[in-house]
C-alpha cells in the first residue's frame, strides 16, 4: 500500500431504509446493523488498521421516537453478549466515545465493563460513538481547558486535540459513509480536517467486509496532498 492507513471512521447509516425495503420495522435494521459491526471490526483488524471509529448514535438522534431510541440503547449490551469474547480473542480494544451521563446505565455499564476487559489488548481500537456530537465534543474540550486554567499562549492545535473525547483517532485517514447520503451529520469535525471521504450507496446492514476492503483499496489510490503539492 502506498498510503498509510491508520484511522478509519464510519457513519453507519441506512438501517431504517434497509428494514423498510424488507418490510420490517426500523428496529430490525438496527439489529442487523449492530451485528455488522462485528464483521467490519474483524476485517479492519485483519488489515492492520489502528483504530475504527463508528458513529452509532448522535446527540441529535434523541429526537427520534422513544421506542426506537430505547431499542437502540439496548443494542450495545446485546452486541457485547454475542461478540465480546470473540473480539477479545482478536485483541480488540473497546472504547466508548460520547457524553456518558445521558446514556442509560444498561447501555453505559456493559460498554464500560468491556472497556476494562479490553484495555490491555493490543489489536485495533474500536471506538463506539454513542451520544456523540462533533460540536458538543469541541465545546466540552473548551470547557475543560478553561477549568484546567490553560493560558491563552499555551493553546495549540496539539493541546486542543488532546482535550477531545475522540483524541485517539486523530487524524482520521478515511471516513466512510454508507446509504448514499453525502454529509457529515455532526460526526468527527476536528479529526476529519484532511480525511479522504468515501461514500457508498450500500446500506449499513448490507455493507460487507469485501465492501470495506474496496473502500480501503480506493483510499490507496488517492493522492493526498495536505495542502502541499
Ligand atoms: C443509522 O441508520 C443508525 C442511526 C442513526 C442510529 P438510520 O436509522 O439513520 O437509517 P436511515 O437513515 O433511516 O435509513
Ligand atoms: C448519522 O446518521 C448518525 C449515525 C449514523 C449514528 P443520521 O441518519 O442521524 O443522519 P442524518 O439525519 O441523515 O443527517
Ligand atoms: Mg440515517
Amino acid at each position: 500500500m502506498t498510503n498509510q492507513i491508520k484511522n478509519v471512521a464510519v457513519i453507519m447509516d441506512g438501517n431504517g431504509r434497509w428494514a423498510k425495503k424488507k418490510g420490517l420495522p426500523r428496529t430490525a435494521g438496527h439489529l442487523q446493523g449492530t451485528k455488522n459491526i462485528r464483521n467490519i471490526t474483524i476485517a479492519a483488524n485483519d488489515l492492520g488498521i489502528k483504530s475504527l471509529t463508528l458513529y452509532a448514535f448522535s446527540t441529535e438522534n434523541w429526537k427520534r421516537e422513544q421506542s426506537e431510541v430505547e431499542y437502540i440503547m439496548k443494542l450495545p449490551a446485546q452486541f457485547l453478549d454475542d461478540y465480546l469474547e470473540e473480539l477479545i480473542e482478536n485483541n480488540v480494544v473497546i472504547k466508548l466515545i460520547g457524553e456518558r451521563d445521558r446514556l442509560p446505565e444498561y447501555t453505559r455499564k456493559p460498554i464500560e465493563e468491556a472497556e476494562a476487559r479490553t484495555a490491555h489488548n493490543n489489536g485495533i481500537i474500536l471506538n463506539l460513538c454513542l451520544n456523540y456530537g462533533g460540536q458538543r465534543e469541541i465545546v466540552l474540550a473548551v470547557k475543560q481547558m478553561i477549568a484546567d486554567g490553560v493560558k491563552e499562549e499555551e493553546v495549540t492545535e496539539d493541546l486542543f486535540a488532546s482535550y477531545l473525547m475522540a483524541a485517539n483517532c486523530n487524524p482520521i485517514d478515511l471516513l466512510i459513509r454508507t446509504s448514499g447520503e453525502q454529509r457529515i451529520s455532526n460526526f468527527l469535525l476536528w479529526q476529519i480536517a484532511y480525511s479522504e471521504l468515501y461514500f457508498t450507496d450500500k446500506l449499513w446492514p448490507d455493507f460487507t467486509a469485501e465492501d470495506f476492503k474496496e473502500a480501503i483499496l480506493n483510499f490507496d489510490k488517492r493522492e493526498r496532498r495536505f495542502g502541499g503539492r
Side-chain angles (χ1 to χ4, degrees):
M1 281 197 196
T2 46
N3 283 330
Q4 267 269 1
I5 185 148
K6 282 179 13 188
N7 301 315
V8 178
V10 187
I11 300 174
M12 307 184 289
D13 197 15
N15 293 348
R17 279 163 282 170
W18 181 91
K20 195 172 179 201
K21 253 179 38 186
K22 293 194 145 41
L24 298 168
R26 292 179 60 84
T27 48
H30 294 311
L31 179 62
Q32 196 61 30
T34 302
K35 291 183 177 169
N36 200 31
I37 292 175
R38 176 247 170 228
N39 302 335
I40 302 305
T41 303
I42 304 277
N45 194 36
D46 290 348
L47 289 167
I49 287 162
K50 188 174 142 252
S51 76
L52 179 68
T53 303
L54 302 179
Y55 205 9
F57 192 87
S58 75
T59 47
E60 288 73 44
N61 287 149
W62 296 106
K63 292 186 280 195
R64 296 187 180 197
E65 274 190 28
Q66 199 188 335
S67 58
E68 181 176 346
V69 170
E70 272 174 19
Y71 185 85
I72 292 170
M73 287 297 151
K74 287 185 183 135
L75 288 170
Q78 194 175 335
F79 172 77
L80 293 165
D81 263 356
D82 292 344
Y83 302 120
L84 181 59
E85 295 310 321
E86 188 189 9
L87 295 173
I88 288 173
E89 282 165 25
N90 281 274
N91 258 312
V92 176
V93 179
I94 293 174
K95 291 200 183 287
L96 171 60
I97 294 184
E99 245 184 308
R100 298 184 185 216
D101 299 1
R102 195 173 173 188
L103 294 173
E105 182 155 319
Y106 62 78
T107 309
R108 192 174 38 81
K109 216 169 139 224
I111 309 180
E112 287 182 343
E113 283 167 8
E115 284 185 309
R117 284 192 63 196
T118 61
H120 300 294
N121 289 348
N122 59 10
I124 195 168
I125 299 172
L126 173 61
N127 288 317
L128 297 172
C129 300
L130 276 151
N131 190 25
Y132 172 86
Q135 293 185 335
R136 188 75 197 139
E137 176 184 43
I138 288 170
V139 168
L140 289 175
V142 171
K143 280 174 178 275
Q144 193 56 51
M145 287 169 85
I146 292 168
D148 287 355
V150 174
K151 295 195 183 65
E152 184 189 342
E153 59 274 19
E154 293 169 347
V155 179
T156 61
E157 283 80 352
D158 283 347
L159 183 75
F160 182 76
S162 75
Y163 272 88
L164 295 169
M165 292 189 285
N168 73 20
C169 64
N170 190 47
I172 295 291
D173 298 298
L174 174 65
L175 173 68
I176 299 170
R177 183 171 187 147
T178 58
S179 90
E181 310 301 344
Q182 303 194 0
R183 53 177 173 260
I184 300 300
S185 302
N186 199 19
F187 197 28
L188 310 163
L189 297 178
W190 175 275
Q191 299 86 346
I192 62 168
Y194 269 103
S195 300
E196 294 297 324
L197 307 177
Y198 183 86
F199 299 105
T200 168
D201 287 341
K202 280 267 179 111
L203 303 172
W204 172 251
D206 287 331
F207 186 77
T208 63
E210 276 310 307
D211 296 324
F212 184 78
K213 282 177 199 152
E214 201 175 304
I216 304 296
L217 284 174
N218 181 288
F219 167 84
D220 202 37
K221 291 193 205 115
R222 308 273 181 101
E223 186 194 345
R224 303 187 83 189
R225 296 199 188 140
F226 300 100
R229 60 141 290 139

